[in-house]
Amino acid sequence: MKFSIKLVLSTMIVLALALGFSGFYFVNYVFETSLDREVGQALDESSILSFAFETAALNVPLKYSVLPDSAVEEIASKLEMGGQNGGRLLRIADEEKNILYTSDGFSADEGLLPQTDEHTKSYRVIDTQENYYVHTCVSVNTLDRVLYLETMKNVTEVFTERAMGFSLYRKVTVVILLTGMVIMLFIASFLTKPIRLLTQATKRMAAGEYTYRARQISRDELGQLTRDFNKMANALEENICKLEEEIEAREEFMGAFAHELKTPLTAIIGYADMLRSHKMDEEKSLMSANYIYTEGKRLEAMSFRLLDIIVAKQEEADLQEIPVRELFLYLQEMFAEKKEMDIRFRYEEAVVQAEANLIKTVLVNLIDNACKASEADSVIEVTGQAAESGYRMAVKDYGIGIPEAEQHKIVKAFYMVDKSRARSKNGAGLGLALCAEILKIHHSQLQIESKVGEGSCFSFVLPMENRGAYEE
């Protein structure tokens, strides 16, 4: 069952119970008030008749010391005829509560007589199957006799009005409930519209339409739910995009890895087969062996780089305080024999927070890439400078540069802007991927600035302790 239908039905049940109890109380209250009024009038009329009977008894001739039964019947007959429309319903009993006179149509039983004595009045409401009456009984003291006067007052109209009130209220209740149901259907439909929109959004997202968002139409709790749902959908879409990118990157990695393995292995197997199956002169044999050695070293370097990347992804950096001078002295010794390049070092003295061996690996890879991207005798600048965000280290070359569209891809494993140039210098496209992973565990990242034909600048920032200055 739909939530809107449940809302309508529950509201109608509550409304029906409220109208039912309130209607019963209201109609019954009016009925009881009217009945109490009629009972009061009946008791007053009974008192008036009792007084009239006593007065009439005083007019009986004095020859009777005790009021005779014939006089009682005569007085009762006159009282009966003196009522409205000339017909009161009354009954008179003697001291022994034996009936002396009864009006035509007086149908009440004698159940009220035993409950009445000389000092009390009693009454009851009786149902004669055709009408309702207020039956009263009162004692009359006259001429040394105690008589009992009973009356019946027709109150059928009060009961009829109650029945009509209940009938009318039932009809009004039905009309109110039907009208209320129609109104509640519109209200429930309006209130549950955000839920329907959310349901529609979940179905479309489940069908693969991850960019679809639920429309917010209110600012209440359901509106907040819609906003939270859309935030969740945004996070889900981002995660799905990341997963798709990771899957795509993994597929590219596997394809590139297979290609990178295939090329040197083909060369190694081919030249090895030539050495095994053909007799060649010393020069050709030396050339074949050199190809085998060169491609083998490239495979070895590639395997070590892959291992470094895997280890870097699983490690957490053990940050220590390292003087920048120590890093730059290491780089100067490392590239001292690289005479074909003009590598210049300039840095400010400082102490940084890093893991020395890993940061050395990053700098060596960046300088090595700069050398591969530059022609002989080109200038390569390695700098270190304090900044507000930390200590910025940069490697700048004036080589071939990197197209802007390629810059975000070069940190992927096996990706090379110029594959022929990279392979000619034993590159496999793993150096920058390794740098990116090492900087990631240092909570830093590789920043790239490059223009085609003008060169590139690779930099990153490390936490800094203090500073000085040095240039070479």
Side-chain angles (χ1 to χ4, degrees), residues 246-416:
E246 289 180 4
I247 293 173
E248 183 181 356
R250 189 174 301 172
E251 291 176 351
E252 291 178 358
F253 176 86
M254 294 302 296
F257 181 66
H259 181 75
E260 291 296 328
L261 282 179
K262 179 181 178 182
T263 302
L265 284 176
T266 301
I268 291 172
I269 292 171
Y271 283 110
D273 185 59
M274 287 178 61
L275 289 173
R276 181 178 65 87
S277 59
H278 297 84
K279 285 187 177 182
M280 296 183 293
D281 56 34
E282 184 177 354
E283 182 180 355
K284 289 184 178 180
S285 297
L286 194 61
M287 182 187 68
S288 298
N290 183 59
Y291 272 116
I292 293 173
Y293 175 80
T294 301
E295 295 300 316
K297 292 297 287 183
R298 193 156 79 87
L299 279 177
E300 181 187 42
M302 184 171 63
S303 63
F304 282 137
R305 288 286 178 84
L306 282 172
L307 182 61
D308 288 340
I309 291 174
I310 294 171
V311 171
K313 285 183 177 181
Q314 297 174 348
E315 280 188 352
E316 283 293 331
D318 182 16
L319 302 182
Q320 299 174 351
E321 294 184 358
I322 304 171
V324 174
R325 174 186 288 272
E326 177 184 319
L327 297 175
F328 277 86
L329 289 177
Y330 171 81
L331 295 174
Q332 291 170 12
E333 293 175 3
M334 184 76 178
F335 292 95
E337 296 182 0
K338 207 168 186 66
K339 303 298 183 181
E340 69 273 15
M341 292 293 175
D342 182 8
I343 303 177
R344 300 175 183 177
F345 298 91
R346 186 180 71 256
Y347 61 94
E348 293 183 7
E349 290 282 5
V351 176
V352 296
Q353 293 281 340
E355 187 170 335
N357 290 332
L358 293 179
I359 294 302
K360 288 176 183 178
T361 300
V362 172
L363 291 169
V364 168
N365 274 284
L366 293 179
I367 296 173
D368 187 54
N369 279 351
C371 293
K372 291 176 181 177
S374 304
E375 301 295 335
D377 297 327
S378 296
V379 175
I380 295 174
E381 298 175 356
V382 184
T383 60
Q385 186 177 10
E388 291 183 2
S389 57
Y391 194 85
R392 183 175 182 271
M393 305 187 77
V395 177
K396 183 175 182 180
D397 66 71
Y398 297 89
I400 60 174
I402 305 169
E404 186 176 352
E406 308 284 340
Q407 291 178 14
H408 69 285
K409 302 178 183 178
I410 61 175
V411 294
K412 294 182 180 180
F414 295 111
Y415 188 83
M416 293 173 282

Side-chain angles (χ1 to χ4, degrees), residues 197-252:
L197 293 176
L198 283 174
T199 303
Q200 181 182 3
T202 55
K203 288 181 179 179
R204 295 184 67 167
M205 290 186 68
E209 195 174 343
Y210 301 115
T211 58
Y212 186 81
R213 296 293 179 269
R215 182 163 57 94
Q216 182 181 343
I217 60 173
S218 64
R219 297 184 180 274
D220 54 10
E221 291 83 357
L222 291 176
Q224 181 62 46
L225 177 62
T226 302
R227 288 194 296 272
D228 293 340
F229 176 85
N230 288 336
K231 289 180 181 178
M232 180 197 70
N234 291 334
L236 179 62
E237 184 182 7
E238 290 177 3
N239 290 334
I240 291 174
C241 291
K242 288 179 181 178
L243 288 175
E244 290 176 348
E245 289 176 359
E246 289 180 4
I247 293 173
E248 183 181 356
R250 189 174 301 172
E251 291 176 351
E252 291 178 358

Side-chain angles (χ1 to χ4, degrees), residues 398-455:
Y398 297 89
I400 60 174
I402 305 169
E404 186 176 352
E406 308 284 340
Q407 291 178 14
H408 69 285
K409 302 178 183 178
I410 61 175
V411 294
K412 294 182 180 180
F414 295 111
Y415 188 83
M416 293 173 282
V417 178
D418 188 344
K419 296 186 178 182
S420 60
R421 183 184 182 93
R423 289 199 181 95
S424 68
K425 297 190 178 184
N426 292 327
L430 293 171
L432 291 178
L434 177 59
C435 293
E437 292 299 331
I438 292 175
L439 291 175
K440 186 182 295 184
I441 64 175
H442 278 78
H443 306 292
S444 183
Q445 62 180 356
L446 195 62
Q447 298 174 352
I448 305 168
E449 299 175 11
S450 182
K451 287 186 178 181
V452 176
E454 297 182 11

Side-chain angles (χ1 to χ4, degrees), residues 448-462:
I448 305 168
E449 299 175 11
S450 182
K451 287 186 178 181
V452 176
E454 297 182 11
S456 304
C457 180
F458 293 83
S459 62
F460 57 91
V461 176
L462 295 174

